[in-house]
Amino acid sequence: MKLATASLDKAAVIAQIRAEGAVAIIRTDSIERALGAAKAAVAGGFRAIEITYSFADAKEAIAKLSEDKENDLLVGAGTILNRGQVHEAVDAGARFVVSPCVLPDVIDAARELQVAIIPGAFTPTEIYTAYSLGADIVKIFPAVRYGPEYLRAVRGPLPQIPIMPTSGVDTSNVAEWFRAGAVAVGAVSSVFDPLLIRNGDWVELTKRARQFMDAVRSSR
């Protein structure tokens, strides 16, 4: 296991996610497309990249991106659903782990390996439960229907919980998400359109990534 990478100060990882303000979430079906989309994300200004476990070679994609020292990337693993995947992803070089829901085993495994953990939650009970189990940031997922007003309402009684909305965030509303209290946002299909990835339209993906990151920077 790459312990030097895995045990990197969690506080520094979380601080970097907060400083960047956005995580590029790459969801596709092959290592070639994942690496192509990640390259477009980096060209557009992203430095925090999440590779989801949506294809067989996800760990290889994470490993390859983790070896990129030139761009100082913060690489994470998404759609993590069990303890074994946590260990596999961290061994490949992931410095943060993301799950779509509140899974105590996943949170425990990440804490044991001293790697940042960002579980997905939606209701106030789920959000608080995730945080009480040790989440470093809680991902509101899905954030499509209710928008920034929902985050603003949740943060009323739970202001101590750092929250990152994912899905439902685009260039037109990212500023409102930050005004509502988001510590960072996740960029998914509004930026990394699966059809564009499938077609290998890296120029358009880079353009969308740059527009999104420009919106993030001007919102903070």
Side-chain angles (χ1 to χ4, degrees):
M1 178 175 292
K2 300 178 181 179
L3 287 176
T5 298
S7 60
L8 186 69
D9 186 1
K10 277 204 309 181
V13 171
I14 296 303
Q16 188 173 343
I17 291 174
R18 286 174 172 262
E20 292 294 333
V23 176
I25 301 170
I26 309 299
R27 179 177 297 280
T28 187
D29 57 4
S30 75
I31 186 171
E32 293 80 14
R33 287 171 175 154
L35 292 175
K39 184 177 179 179
V42 173
F46 281 90
R47 290 297 178 270
I49 311 289
E50 174 190 327
I51 299 296
T52 67
Y53 261 55
S54 52
F55 59 99
D57 296 325
K59 65 178 181 180
E60 280 78 9
I62 290 167
K64 285 183 178 295
L65 289 171
S66 297
E67 293 167 359
D68 180 354
K69 306 304 180 186
E70 180 180 350
N71 292 300
D72 191 28
L73 299 182
L74 182 64
V75 182
T79 318
I80 297 298
L81 299 175
N82 58 61
R83 182 178 289 269
Q85 289 177 335
V86 175
H87 283 264
E88 181 180 272
V90 172
D91 188 46
R95 290 162 62 189
F96 63 96
V97 174
V98 183
S99 63
C101 43
V102 182
L103 300 170
D105 276 354
V106 169
I107 296 173
D108 286 346
R111 285 168 58 83
E112 288 167 6
L113 295 177
Q114 301 177 52
V115 58
I117 174 66
I118 307 175
F122 188 72
T123 68
T125 298
E126 291 170 346
I127 292 167
Y128 184 79
T129 298
Y131 187 67
S132 67
L133 288 172
D136 296 294
I137 294 175
V138 178
K139 175 180 74 170
I140 284 188
F141 176 79
V144 178
R145 183 172 181 182
Y146 298 106
E149 281 304 314
Y150 181 71
L151 173 57
R152 187 173 285 109
V154 167
R155 282 186 52 77
L158 301 173
Q160 77 277 22
I161 300 179
I163 293 177
M164 181 178 81
T166 298
S167 80
V169 183
D170 57 40
T171 55
S172 71
N173 65 15
V174 67
E176 186 59 29
W177 281 109
F178 283 115
R179 283 194 292 269
V183 299
V185 295
V188 200
S189 58
S190 66
V191 180
F192 302 102
D193 187 318
L195 182 59
L196 293 176
I197 295 176
R198 192 175 306 118
N199 292 337
D201 193 344
W202 311 130
V203 172
E204 178 62 22
L205 284 167
T206 297
K207 175 184 173 183
R208 292 190 182 195
R210 184 174 295 113
Q211 290 172 338
F212 188 86
M213 287 306 298
D214 285 347
V216 168
R217 295 186 185 107
S218 65
S219 300
R220 310 174 79 213

